[in-house]
Amino acid sequence: MAPPHPFDPLTLGEIAKAAVIVRKELDGKDPNFRVITLQEPPKQEMISFLEGELRGQSHKRPARAARVQVTIRGNSKPNEMVELTIDLTTGSVIKKEHLVGKHPYIDSAYMQAAEKACRADPRIETEIQNLKLPKGAQVVVEPWAYATDGMNNVSERTTMCWFYLRLLDHADANYYAYPLDLCAEVSEQLQVTKIYHLPSSEDERIREDARLYDHSKAHSPELSEYHPDLRPPPRTTTKPYQVVQPEGPSFQVDGNLLSWEKWTMRVGFNYREGLTLHDIRYDGRSLFYRLSLSEMFVPYGDPRTPYPRKGAFDLGNDGAGINANNLRLGCDCLGTIKYFDGWHNTASGEPLKLPNVVCCHEQDDGILWKHTNHRTQNAVVTRSRILVLQTIITVSNYEYIFAFHFGQDASIHYEVRATGILSTCPINNGDKVGYGTVVAPGVLAPYHQHLFSLRIDPAIDGYANSLQVEESHPMPINDPNVHNPLGVGYTTKSQIITEEGGHDLDFVSNRTFKIINEKQINPITGTPVGFKLLPCYSQMLLAHPQSYHARRSEFGSHAVWVTRYQDDELFPSGRHTMQSLGGEGISSVIEQRKSDPAASSVRNEDIVIWHTFGSTHNPRIEDWPVMPSEKMVVGLKPVNFFTGNPGLDVAVSTQEKNESVLVDDGAGCKAGICPRL
Amino acid sequence: MAPPHPFDPLTLGEIAKAAVIVRKELDGKDPNFRVITLQEPPKQEMISFLEGELRGQSHKRPARAARVQVTIRGNSKPNEMVELTIDLTTGSVIKKEHLVGKHPYIDSAYMQAAEKACRADPRIETEIQNLKLPKGAQVVVEPWAYATDGMNNVSERTTMCWFYLRLLDHADANYYAYPLDLCAEVSEQLQVTKIYHLPSSEDERIREDARLYDHSKAHSPELSEYHPDLRPPPRTTTKPYQVVQPEGPSFQVDGNLLSWEKWTMRVGFNYREGLTLHDIRYDGRSLFYRLSLSEMFVPYGDPRTPYPRKGAFDLGNDGAGINANNLRLGCDCLGTIKYFDGWHNTASGEPLKLPNVVCCHEQDDGILWKHTNHRTQNAVVTRSRILVLQTIITVSNYEYIFAFHFGQDASIHYEVRATGILSTCPINNGDKVGYGTVVAPGVLAPYHQHLFSLRIDPAIDGYANSLQVEESHPMPINDPNVHNPLGVGYTTKSQIITEEGGHDLDFVSNRTFKIINEKQINPITGTPVGFKLLPCYSQMLLAHPQSYHARRSEFGSHAVWVTRYQDDELFPSGRHTMQSLGGEGISSVIEQRKSDPAASSVRNEDIVIWHTFGSTHNPRIEDWPVMPSEKMVVGLKPVNFFTGNPGLDVAVSTQEKNESVLVDDGAGCKAGICPRL
């Protein structure tokens, strides 16, 4: 069997081997394996390897290495975390770090234990009894990681347990529709340390008495249930729609190497980022070393205790890989589908398969380009085919659908869809607050933001790139040195960024961020080759700069960040986000490196671009009980990179191949066969 | 036969009848019929009609009326324009206007005559001979309407003729790839009144000597030809992709009434706006009275004479209807297609069919909503089907693809794709200018903007609506009256607009424009029902406010305009844009009405929203020789209009219906049949 490619995720054997080595290293201790994942090779080694590979020459293979994260069970220090780097070839431990005061991503076993602890607590039992719940209804305890608010010691974990009700006797009844006036805080040692009654109006004092359950009066299942078992029959008007690819897909897969329409890339996957893409090329030319979603932050805007504790790092705390859905044929994608599996590990270090976590398929995307010569009336039209790599994650109530779209015109689009169920809390009938929407009687969906960081590690015709900021400005009209007599002229002004930092978007000046290679000049335009970012215009973090939300997330303060590439610098809110205190994110790193220009200059260097985007999600009632997908799209397009339209060689669209069908053939309407061109 | 619906375009018989009436009215004159189109009924009459129709009651039919525009041939006043309104029931002339100093949209017969005049001019013949063109190459004369620059008397038409070369002996050779150093101005009387040599560097003086043709040296057809006859064989890697709808489409068409997935609307079409939509409802509830693209302006940013004369009103001057493509099965749309024809008229007043100008079909749009219960691992997923109404226009070199997308979640998206060929001019090899991109040797593609105005005539649960502007702002942290101790709170602030005017976008504050009905309160949220605009963030017009470009277009200075509804107020740059002098657009109208609050207040009134969007198109070489579609999208979404997700009743996605196919069934990958839910 061929050895794995250096970008391939760890194989089953490698996962098992890493566990054995770590067990030996931690001799006598009882490790809970949280992570066994690929430690990607140092970039300098990879560049040599990739260049050799491209030329078909022999090339030194970087060593295979694993990054392993364990917590030590039965230890005096609760939940002590150790991170090790293992050389899988030599079987040696390269690096070992005791991460004091840090916590790994959420441990579902621990969360379940916290839930159990709540249920076992007699005070909570009494509270629930006092609520006088309807008969047959079941209480659901939903544990959340504690978002640091400065109240608790973060060296030990705190779990916030929210209480809901399954009103109907069905395992998939929507319990978020019945938030109870109860909340509990559970300690590392699984003790219930605090019990809260929740606020209703803007008066946020925590009340002594819990509100009785009174939703049922006004709140019919019709308004809040989403599961087909619990709903009236669905609409029957939607006729079947199938995608047929009689000759199969246009892509080829060889292990994790994916080739499609002049594109090549390597598909990666890990517990935290989920889908990652590596060594992305078009027509053999290097474009991106790595593309990944690097972080997500969902801060809630309700200021009342205990809601500031709701602020989720869905990658750092939860993991986009570990929470990836098992995608099902016929449900999540349409057409001819290739699924990729992911691999993770069990608590005892065995390989654990995450099946069908990425689907790969093609879509028709309308017209790629068209021109009708108005003199001859001859039309030339090509249809756009795109390649979609999609992964879907569930993080408690919400789901996110992440998809990279590759185009025949050498464009890449990254689409995020937010769907799932809003996080809810109780509100008295008739009360209103300024930071939430009443989506059902007694149910408040608080305002919140979803902020994403797309990490773009470019390799535009090579690894030394620059970030150019270009704006379009009117030419002056009364400047004797400028010829613009009629006031119609405008030009572009551009600046190349020399220092690491964060930048803002500005559509008013058509501010455009281009990643360019200053050493590669386009032979026709005479300008550096580049790719431009098509940003998703989004409001940045609303929380105050001094708040924990802001200090912990950091990337949410600017839309476009540029940093100098550093191995392992993958996460703009820091490596460990669980109960983090802040100061470990992208702006802190930039600040620390500022004094060393050799390490922080970003012109003609190996740089990384991080795009912050997302939505300020002030819920509409139409988002209830499951929200229709809310799309956000970021694009990357060549700008003076090629010598013309890269999709010019796409064959014209013909009825022969497309086999479209006319609905009717009414008076005078000829079933048009596309004229042969 | 049933009488036409009041929103139906004129029938063949009505067109012919209108021509007869006008001929009689203009007794003895020789009318050139430019327009015979539906004069839509006064809105007050239509509202009564629609309300009666909805209740199934008898209702007074508004009179059928035609708007007819003619120019008088053989007149002493050149190209005199007369506009008449005809009552088709009574056969009477309701209104007759002599439009002094105005010009109708471009007359292709006149343009061809201007082209011929150029070719016949001996001075031009000499100029062309002096260029020493390659043998076999053919000169192409491309006439453009004169964009007012203050140099010419606009009471008569001026045509600017640009010269290009068909280098290859093929009718579809791309002549825009060989712009010649020649330009001519042709008068109303078809005289060549001026001959220009064109600038090259930023030195804009018009040169005495024309540049010799010297492109051929460096400029291979490979770089600039797009027609398959003139190109190497296309890529063969793209496998066929077909859409199969075994039970037919989910929409029904009854004349111009279109019904699909709870949506109903009436399809309209006219020479100027092209596709229009009327009386748009979801589940019987009124949403929009009328949706249309109301204008487009394409100003060029090259300040050098004679380029400020390039500024095209593609609707007002050219017409989106008259220039709509005849869409071909298998080329422009995929799947099961219904085409709508349009009707126009000949110069002598006969009905003229514009076949297949609108295509209507469905598309799969990925996932509509999904939730996986993390406790049961049961996923419920629905796919999104959209209804697409598409029309494509060719305006000389460019094409625009306009499509309305209707969603099962009651959303509407309006997508514009720009494709086609860049407008070009010559540049000396080695020269550069700040307002254009060299896309091929000797070929400059000047910077320009595409500005669109989408006219939204809302009827949100009725005809009295308001425009609400909402922003999201952090709560203060040190205000003793505000409880926000941890600095995470944010709220929305909103304002209802009371006066007509233009507004700007601001993603920084998440500024959101909502069209609401203040009298209809959502029973659950307690707030007015509404629809929000999802704007396309775009740079506004760059030309100086005092320039003719700005004065003539007007709508390009703000992104969101609100006006009080007035019958026939459809065009934000005025009714007549050909060689217009300005002062007839949306801001002038608002200014004029300002003194009369009864006519201009916009709160709880019949209002119209106009969204300006587009692109600052600084060409990339990848846009050459035919540009890959550049997408711009505007959305309209319900916001607290319904009592929940309007797509909640869409049936779950099943493999049974979707019949997707697995690429392979490799190790451990089970061909998943979607679990029955």
Side-chain angles (χ1 to χ4, degrees):
Chain A
M1 215 172 97
H5 187 276
F7 280 137
D8 280 348
L10 294 186
T11 64
L12 283 72
E14 289 173 329
I15 292 171
K17 186 174 179 180
V20 169
I21 298 165
V22 167
R23 247 181 221 292
K24 202 174 145 195
E25 172 72 19
L26 300 175
D27 186 32
K29 286 176 179 157
D30 181 17
N32 173 359
F33 286 91
R34 301 307 320 284
V35 176
I36 305 179
T37 194
L38 177 71
Q39 171 67 41
E40 291 176 24
K43 195 168 187 179
Q44 278 313 312
E45 288 182 35
M46 272 313 290
I47 290 174
S48 310
F49 176 86
L50 294 173
E51 284 174 351
E53 191 182 38
L54 193 68
R55 286 194 298 265
Q57 293 171 348
S58 74
H59 35 268
K60 186 168 171 270
R61 283 194 106 69
R64 291 287 285 176
R67 187 162 63 77
V68 181
Q69 214 179 68
V70 299
T71 54
I72 308 297
R73 283 187 276 221
N75 200 328
S76 60
K77 287 174 271 182
N79 204 36
E80 182 193 359
M81 177 158 68
V82 185
E83 201 169 280
L84 307 98
T85 309
I86 309 297
D87 183 322
L88 289 165
T89 318
T90 61
S92 58
V93 176
I94 304 171
K95 198 173 154 192
K96 183 175 168 187
E97 248 183 308
H98 286 265
L99 294 158
V100 180
K102 305 291 184 192
H103 305 285
Y105 72 95
I106 286 170
D107 184 343
S108 61
Y110 168 73
M111 289 305 225
Q112 281 161 24
E115 190 180 328
K116 213 169 153 186
C118 277
R119 289 186 185 277
D121 188 284
R123 290 165 301 168
I124 288 181
E125 209 188 324
T126 308
E127 287 283 352
I128 289 173
Q129 273 169 8
N130 288 345
L131 288 170
K132 300 200 191 308
L133 302 178
K135 266 197 182 151
Q138 280 186 306
V139 171
V140 178
V141 184
E142 185 97 332
W144 274 52
Y146 162 66
T148 315
D149 66 350
M151 305 298 170
N152 286 24
N153 173 4
V154 293
S155 71
E156 298 191 2
R157 288 178 297 184
T158 299
T159 301
M160 299 300 296
C161 287
W162 311 93
F163 289 72
Y164 297 93
L165 205 65
R166 240 188 247 114
L167 187 64
L168 303 180
D169 183 20
H170 188 289
D172 289 308
N174 179 14
Y175 53 86
Y176 300 112
Y178 305 96
L180 297 179
D181 183 11
L182 194 58
C183 169
E185 183 185 299
V186 179
S187 71
E188 180 71 60
Q189 292 77 18
L190 300 171
Q191 300 303 309
V192 175
T193 45
K194 233 176 232 170
I195 298 175
Y196 299 85
H197 295 149
L198 298 167
S200 179
S201 66
E202 291 194 358
D203 169 5
E204 72 106 38
R205 282 165 306 171
I206 294 173
R207 293 149 49 253
E208 290 299 310
D209 56 313
R211 266 156 299 175
L212 303 188
Y213 174 83
D214 76 341
H215 299 320
S216 55
K217 218 173 8 183
H219 190 173
S220 79
E222 174 82 9
L223 285 178
S224 288
E225 298 298 343
Y226 70 93
H227 194 281
D229 288 355
L230 305 173
R231 293 203 52 81
R235 60 172 87 175
T236 54
T237 45
T238 324
K239 303 283 176 66
Y241 181 105
Q242 296 157 3
V243 167
V244 174
Q245 298 182 256
E247 299 175 20
S250 317
F251 55 81
Q252 290 87 42
V253 179
D254 175 10
N256 293 307
L257 175 65
L258 181 58
S259 312
W260 176 81
E261 294 292 278
K262 298 189 179 176
W263 288 96
T264 56
M265 67 198 77
R266 292 193 171 266
V267 177
F269 191 87
N270 66 63
Y271 77 105
R272 180 163 174 164
E273 296 158 285
L275 175 62
T276 57
L277 296 174
H278 307 262
D279 193 27
I280 300 166
R281 294 169 187 267
Y282 188 89
D283 214 5
R285 281 172 76 182
S286 168
L287 302 182
F288 298 96
Y289 181 78
R290 194 180 195 275
L291 290 178
S292 58
L293 182 69
S294 61
E295 194 49 276
M296 255 193 76
F297 184 46
V298 186
Y300 283 77
D302 190 330
R304 301 169 301 173
T305 305
Y307 299 128
R309 297 184 169 189
K310 288 173 73 173
F313 289 93
D314 285 347
L315 266 61
N317 290 3
D318 293 271
I322 203 83
N323 288 298
N325 290 191
N326 178 350
L327 302 176
R328 301 304 181 93
L329 199 68
C331 304
D332 299 294
C333 319
L334 194 66
T336 301
I337 317 294
K338 157 74 187 170
Y339 290 105
F340 289 90
D341 295 328
W343 287 93
H344 188 57
N345 56 276
T346 65
S348 51
E350 284 98 47
L352 176 73
K353 181 154 143 179
L354 306 174
N356 292 6
V357 284
V358 174
C359 67
C360 168
H361 68 283
E362 290 175 87
Q363 283 178 13
D364 178 84
D365 184 45
I367 290 172
L368 178 61
W369 55 265
K370 179 172 187 177
H371 182 59
T372 302
N373 182 335
H374 67 91
R375 291 163 194 276
T376 63
Q377 287 299 314
N378 287 331
V380 180
V381 54
T382 63
R383 294 194 73 76
S384 169
R385 184 75 56 81
I386 58 172
L387 181 75
V388 178
L389 284 163
Q390 178 177 273
T391 183
I392 307 181
I393 68 169
T394 299
V395 189
S396 297
N397 51 303
Y398 263 117
E399 350 278 315
Y400 299 97
I401 303 170
F402 301 116
F404 285 98
H405 294 185
F406 292 86
Q408 292 163 311
D409 60 351
S411 65
I412 301 177
H413 288 87
Y414 183 67
E415 185 196 82
V416 176
R417 297 188 186 202
T419 177
I421 303 183
L422 292 159
S423 179
T424 58
C425 57
I427 187 165
N428 289 343
N429 283 333
D431 277 2
K432 274 190 189 185
V433 292
Y435 26 72
T437 307
V438 174
V439 292
V443 185
L444 183 72
Y447 291 176
H448 57 282
Q449 296 188 282
H450 301 262
L451 291 168
F452 303 87
S453 172
L454 180 68
R455 184 176 181 278
I456 302 161
D457 183 348
I460 304 298
D461 256 354
Y463 301 92
N465 291 169
S466 303
L467 180 67
Q468 184 180 35
V469 184
E470 187 183 271
E471 296 183 347
S472 296
H473 289 285
M475 292 169 72
I477 53 162
N478 291 318
D479 183 334
N481 298 315
V482 176
H483 185 82
N484 181 28
L486 297 167
V488 308
Y490 78 88
T491 55
T492 44
K493 291 178 187 171
S494 77
Q495 185 200 348
I496 291 176
I497 305 299
T498 55
E499 287 175 17
E500 294 188 313
H503 300 266
D504 295 315
L505 303 178
D506 181 22
F507 66 88
V508 174
S509 63
N510 195 40
R511 187 177 296 161
T512 306
F513 291 85
K514 296 181 183 177
I515 307 164
I516 59 171
N517 186 327
E518 295 188 65
K519 303 271 165 68
Q520 297 291 331
I521 301 302
N522 187 298
I524 293 170
T525 63
T527 55
V529 300
F531 260 66
K532 67 176 168 182
L533 178 71
L534 305 171
C536 176
Y537 290 97
S538 316
Q539 187 172 37
M540 294 291 99
L541 184 75
L542 280 159
H544 191 275
Q546 284 310 312
S547 68
Y548 277 102
H549 283 354
R551 284 151 61 193
R552 298 176 69 210
S553 55
E554 295 199 2
F555 73 89
S557 59
H558 293 290
V560 180
W561 298 85
V562 54
T563 59
R564 178 78 165 270
Y565 176 87
Q566 298 284 340
D567 283 331
D568 294 328
E569 201 170 281
L570 294 167
F571 307 119
S573 301
R575 279 165 66 200
H576 308 288
T577 57
M578 271 287 279
Q579 302 191 171
S580 59
L581 288 167
E584 297 169 57
I586 191 163
S587 56
S588 297
V589 167
I590 290 171
E591 192 57 36
Q592 285 151 25
R593 272 203 290 263
K594 216 171 199 168
S595 54
D596 181 6
S600 65
S601 68
V602 291
R603 184 167 182 174
N604 288 318
E605 297 286 358
D606 189 356
I607 59 172
V608 178
I609 309 299
W610 316 67
H611 178 36
T612 307
F613 66 99
S615 77
T616 295
H617 188 185
N618 306 335
R620 328 171 276 162
I621 196 166
E622 286 81 5
D623 296 335
W624 184 257
V626 179
M627 62 182 279
S629 289
E630 188 81 20
K631 278 187 215 178
M632 290 151 271
V633 181
V634 175
L636 290 163
K637 279 195 179 179
V639 56
N640 302 328
F641 184 83
F642 297 98
T643 52
N645 176 352
L648 193 64
D649 64 341
V650 172
V652 297
S653 176
T654 64
Q655 171 64 357
E656 218 173 343
K657 288 202 173 169
N658 293 344
E659 298 192 8
S660 286
V661 171
L662 260 191
V663 168
D664 61 17
D665 198 356
C669 169
K670 286 184 190 160
I673 298 298
C674 193
R676 203 172 291 273
L677 289 160
Chain B
M1 215 172 96
H5 188 275
F7 280 137
D8 280 348
L10 294 185
T11 63
L12 283 73
E14 289 173 329
I15 292 171
K17 185 173 179 183
V20 169
I21 299 165
V22 167
R23 247 182 220 291
K24 202 174 146 198
E25 173 72 19
L26 300 174
D27 186 33
K29 285 175 181 158
D30 181 15
N32 173 358
F33 286 91
R34 301 307 321 284
V35 175
I36 305 179
T37 194
L38 176 71
Q39 170 68 41
E40 290 176 24
K43 195 169 188 178
Q44 278 314 311
E45 288 182 36
M46 272 313 289
I47 290 174
S48 310
F49 176 85
L50 294 173
E51 284 174 351
E53 191 182 41
L54 192 69
R55 287 193 297 265
Q57 295 171 347
S58 73
H59 33 267
K60 188 168 171 268
R61 284 193 105 70
R64 292 287 285 176
R67 188 162 62 77
V68 181
Q69 213 180 68
V70 299
T71 53
I72 309 297
R73 285 187 275 224
N75 200 328
S76 60
K77 287 175 272 182
N79 203 37
E80 182 193 359
M81 177 157 69
V82 185
E83 201 170 279
L84 306 97
T85 309
I86 308 298
D87 183 323
L88 289 164
T89 318
T90 62
S92 58
V93 176
I94 305 171
K95 196 174 154 192
K96 183 175 170 185
E97 250 184 308
H98 287 265
L99 293 159
V100 181
K102 306 291 184 193
H103 306 285
Y105 72 96
I106 285 169
D107 184 342
S108 60
Y110 168 73
M111 287 305 223
Q112 280 160 24
E115 189 181 327
K116 211 168 156 186
C118 276
R119 290 187 183 276
D121 188 284
R123 290 165 302 168
I124 288 181
E125 208 187 327
T126 307
E127 286 284 351
I128 289 174
Q129 272 170 9
N130 289 344
L131 288 171
K132 302 201 190 306
L133 301 178
K135 266 196 182 154
Q138 281 186 307
V139 172
V140 178
V141 184
E142 185 96 332
W144 275 51
Y146 162 67
T148 315
D149 66 350
M151 306 297 172
N152 285 24
N153 172 5
V154 292
S155 71
E156 298 192 1
R157 287 180 296 186
T158 299
T159 300
M160 299 300 296
C161 287
W162 311 94
F163 288 71
Y164 297 93
L165 205 65
R166 240 188 249 112
L167 187 64
L168 303 179
D169 183 20
H170 187 289
D172 289 308
N174 180 15
Y175 53 85
Y176 301 111
Y178 306 96
L180 297 179
D181 183 11
L182 195 59
C183 169
E185 181 185 299
V186 179
S187 70
E188 180 72 59
Q189 293 77 19
L190 298 171
Q191 300 303 308
V192 175
T193 45
K194 234 177 232 169
I195 297 175
Y196 299 84
H197 295 148
L198 297 168
S200 179
S201 67
E202 293 195 357
D203 169 7
E204 72 105 39
R205 282 165 306 170
I206 294 173
R207 294 149 49 255
E208 290 299 308
D209 56 316
R211 267 157 298 175
L212 302 189
Y213 174 83
D214 75 343
H215 299 320
S216 55
K217 218 173 7 184
H219 191 172
S220 79
E222 174 82 8
L223 285 178
S224 290
E225 297 298 343
Y226 71 92
H227 195 281
D229 289 356
L230 305 174
R231 293 203 53 82
R235 61 172 87 176
T236 55
T237 45
T238 323
K239 303 284 176 64
Y241 181 106
Q242 297 157 1
V243 168
V244 174
Q245 299 182 258
E247 298 175 21
S250 316
F251 55 80
Q252 290 87 43
V253 180
D254 175 11
N256 294 305
L257 175 64
L258 181 58
S259 312
W260 176 81
E261 295 291 278
K262 299 189 177 175
W263 288 96
T264 57
M265 67 196 78
R266 292 193 171 267
V267 178
F269 191 88
N270 66 64
Y271 77 105
R272 180 163 174 164
E273 298 158 283
L275 174 62
T276 56
L277 296 175
H278 307 262
D279 193 26
I280 300 166
R281 293 169 189 267
Y282 187 90
D283 213 5
R285 280 173 77 184
S286 167
L287 302 182
F288 298 97
Y289 181 77
R290 193 180 196 276
L291 291 177
S292 58
L293 182 69
S294 62
E295 193 52 274
M296 254 193 76
F297 184 46
V298 186
Y300 283 77
D302 190 331
R304 302 169 301 173
T305 304
Y307 298 129
R309 296 184 170 190
K310 288 173 72 172
F313 290 93
D314 285 347
L315 265 61
N317 290 4
D318 293 270
I322 202 83
N323 288 298
N325 289 191
N326 178 349
L327 302 176
R328 301 305 182 91
L329 198 69
C331 304
D332 299 294
C333 319
L334 194 65
T336 301
I337 318 294
K338 157 75 189 172
Y339 290 105
F340 290 89
D341 295 328
W343 287 93
H344 188 58
N345 56 277
T346 65
S348 52
E350 284 99 46
L352 176 72
K353 182 155 143 180
L354 307 173
N356 292 6
V357 284
V358 174
C359 68
C360 168
H361 69 283
E362 290 174 87
Q363 283 177 14
D364 178 83
D365 184 44
I367 290 172
L368 178 62
W369 54 265
K370 178 172 188 177
H371 182 58
T372 302
N373 182 335
H374 67 92
R375 291 161 194 277
T376 62
Q377 288 299 315
N378 287 331
V380 180
V381 53
T382 63
R383 294 194 72 77
S384 169
R385 186 73 58 80
I386 58 173
L387 181 76
V388 178
L389 285 163
Q390 177 177 274
T391 183
I392 307 180
I393 68 170
T394 299
V395 189
S396 297
N397 50 303
Y398 264 116
E399 350 278 314
Y400 299 97
I401 303 171
F402 302 115
F404 285 98
H405 294 185
F406 292 86
Q408 291 164 310
D409 61 351
S411 66
I412 302 176
H413 288 88
Y414 184 66
E415 186 196 81
V416 176
R417 297 188 186 204
T419 177
I421 303 183
L422 292 159
S423 180
T424 58
C425 58
I427 187 165
N428 289 344
N429 283 334
D431 276 2
K432 274 190 189 184
V433 292
Y435 25 71
T437 306
V438 174
V439 291
V443 185
L444 183 74
Y447 291 175
H448 57 282
Q449 296 188 282
H450 302 262
L451 292 168
F452 303 87
S453 172
L454 180 67
R455 184 177 181 277
I456 302 162
D457 183 347
I460 304 298
D461 255 354
Y463 301 92
N465 290 167
S466 303
L467 181 66
Q468 184 179 32
V469 185
E470 187 183 271
E471 296 183 347
S472 296
H473 289 284
M475 291 168 72
I477 52 163
N478 291 318
D479 183 333
N481 297 315
V482 176
H483 186 82
N484 183 29
L486 298 167
V488 307
Y490 79 86
T491 56
T492 43
K493 292 178 186 171
S494 77
Q495 185 201 350
I496 291 177
I497 305 299
T498 55
E499 287 176 16
E500 293 187 314
H503 300 265
D504 295 316
L505 303 178
D506 180 23
F507 66 89
V508 173
S509 63
N510 195 40
R511 188 178 295 162
T512 305
F513 291 85
K514 296 181 183 177
I515 307 164
I516 60 171
N517 186 326
E518 296 188 65
K519 304 270 165 72
Q520 297 292 332
I521 302 301
N522 187 298
I524 293 170
T525 63
T527 55
V529 301
F531 260 66
K532 66 176 169 182
L533 178 71
L534 305 171
C536 177
Y537 291 97
S538 316
Q539 187 172 39
M540 294 291 99
L541 184 75
L542 280 160
H544 191 274
Q546 284 311 311
S547 67
Y548 276 102
H549 283 355
R551 284 152 60 193
R552 297 175 70 210
S553 54
E554 294 199 3
F555 72 90
S557 60
H558 293 290
V560 180
W561 299 84
V562 54
T563 59
R564 178 76 166 271
Y565 175 88
Q566 298 285 340
D567 284 331
D568 295 329
E569 200 169 280
L570 294 167
F571 307 119
S573 301
R575 279 165 66 198
H576 308 287
T577 57
M578 272 287 281
Q579 301 189 173
S580 59
L581 288 166
E584 296 169 60
I586 190 163
S587 56
S588 297
V589 168
I590 289 172
E591 191 56 37
Q592 284 152 26
R593 272 203 289 262
K594 217 170 198 168
S595 53
D596 181 6
S600 66
S601 67
V602 291
R603 184 166 184 175
N604 289 318
E605 297 286 358
D606 189 356
I607 59 173
V608 178
I609 309 299
W610 316 66
H611 178 36
T612 308
F613 66 98
S615 77
T616 295
H617 188 184
N618 306 335
R620 329 170 276 162
I621 196 167
E622 285 81 6
D623 295 335
W624 185 257
V626 179
M627 62 183 279
S629 289
E630 188 82 20
K631 279 188 212 176
M632 290 151 270
V633 181
V634 175
L636 290 163
K637 279 197 180 178
V639 57
N640 303 328
F641 184 83
F642 297 98
T643 52
N645 176 352
L648 192 62
D649 64 339
V650 172
V652 296
S653 177
T654 64
Q655 171 63 358
E656 218 174 343
K657 287 200 172 168
N658 293 343
E659 297 191 10
S660 285
V661 173
L662 260 191
V663 167
D664 61 14
D665 198 356
C669 170
K670 286 185 190 157
I673 298 298
C674 191
R676 203 171 293 273
L677 289 160

